[in-house]
Amino acid sequence: MTNTILQAVGLTQQYGPTRALDGVSIAFAEGTATAIMGASGSGKTTLLHALAGIRTPDTGTVHYAGSEISGLSDADRSRLRREHFGFVFQQGLLVPELTAVENVALALMLNGTPRRQAIGPAAQWLAALGLAGLEDRRIGELSGGQAQRVAIARAQVTGARIVFADEPTGALDSVTSDEVMNALLGSTVGRGQTLVVVTHDPSVAARCQRVVTVRDGRIVADQPTQPAAAGVSQ
Ligand SMILES: Nc1ncnc2c1ncn2[C@@H]1O[C@H](COP(=O)(O)OP(=O)(O)OP(=O)(O)O)[C@@H](O)[C@H]1O
């Protein structure tokens, strides 16, 4: 029996005349990778933000590891996000003035870890993602795929139990996209953690165990992928 780590019930979100979420209920089993697909404007990012506690929906609840997060104060939700969740976006939102290892260490430092204790684990994560030797490069001195792997290391260094990714391969060519997905899957579901990834790319979705399709703020399909297609390779 798999554990449900995240569960949303009845999420709605209205932006003026636009119903971005229209009664979405969904649960995620721990240790699985789920792709969220759908046309532009269908509500994918709004759903991801509601699930991750970035934004409180108008109505509905989100439970993480059995506790309701939708009712937490902003400060408590921020702490929960920093300590339990990791984020990877299309543009990695890395700090260009800092080096690769400093960007990763920053996630730990924001949680109160002193810099000298943060650098070691940050360097270990970079090495695990194939970036040994590039620790002291600034972000502008890395390729797009390398920078996304720095973002994955930053999302994971705090021990995040769920990684939320929004178009993590959107700016990459197909070979680099595949490498980044290998890194993302290997560092999450490959270690028993959970991945929720918004993507337009069917080849990214095919690497996940489950594909959820959103249209007009509703889930219109929720299906497992072919077992042969899904999978984790390092
Ligand atoms: N802050 C906002 N204010 C007003 N409308 C918004 C806001 N955020 C999103 N919307 C609208 O809500 C709908 C859903 O947006 P959302 O970003 O969730 O879609 P999406 O499926 O992620 O799209 P894309 O694939 O283009 O990123 C869209 O019609 C969008 O214009």
Side-chain angles (χ1 to χ4, degrees), residues 159-204:
R161 286 180 71 190
I162 308 181
V163 171
F164 296 93
D166 197 347
E167 295 286 0
T169 62
L172 305 175
D173 64 66
S174 62
V175 172
T176 312
S177 164
D178 219 38
E179 286 168 10
V180 166
M181 274 309 284
N182 285 345
L184 196 50
L185 286 163
S187 66
T188 53
V189 291
R191 302 169 56 248
Q193 320 284 34
T194 306
L195 176 67
V196 182
V197 55
V198 165
T199 184
H200 283 110
D201 185 342
S203 63
V204 167

Side-chain angles (χ1 to χ4, degrees), residues 13-16 18-21 37-48 55 166-167 198 200 214 217:
Q13 178 76 56
Q14 190 84 24
Y15 292 121
T18 304
R19 199 147 182 87
L21 292 178
M37 300 195 82
S40 180
S42 55
K44 304 180 298 295
T45 295
T46 306
L47 175 59
L48 195 81
R55 189 181 179 106
D166 197 347
E167 295 286 0
V198 165
H200 283 110
V214 178

Side-chain angles (χ1 to χ4, degrees), residues 32-116:
T32 61
T34 302
I36 299 177
M37 300 195 82
S40 180
S42 55
K44 304 180 298 295
T45 295
T46 306
L47 175 59
L48 195 81
H49 287 187
L51 292 171
I54 292 174
R55 189 181 179 106
T56 304
D58 291 341
T59 64
T61 56
V62 179
H63 282 80
Y64 161 68
S67 304
E68 184 176 344
I69 63 170
S70 30
L72 294 176
S73 68
D74 284 352
D76 286 345
R77 267 188 300 125
S78 296
R79 195 174 65 239
L80 176 97
R81 285 199 307 269
R82 284 200 312 270
E83 294 178 357
H84 293 255
F85 297 166
F87 297 91
V88 180
F89 298 114
Q90 179 171 350
Q91 307 297 341
L93 302 183
L94 300 165
V95 183
E97 292 80 11
L98 299 182
T99 64
V101 75
E102 287 169 340
N103 265 281
V104 179
L106 188 60
L108 286 171
M109 290 158 67
L110 289 172
N111 287 347
T113 305
R115 183 188 150 91
R116 66 182 179 285

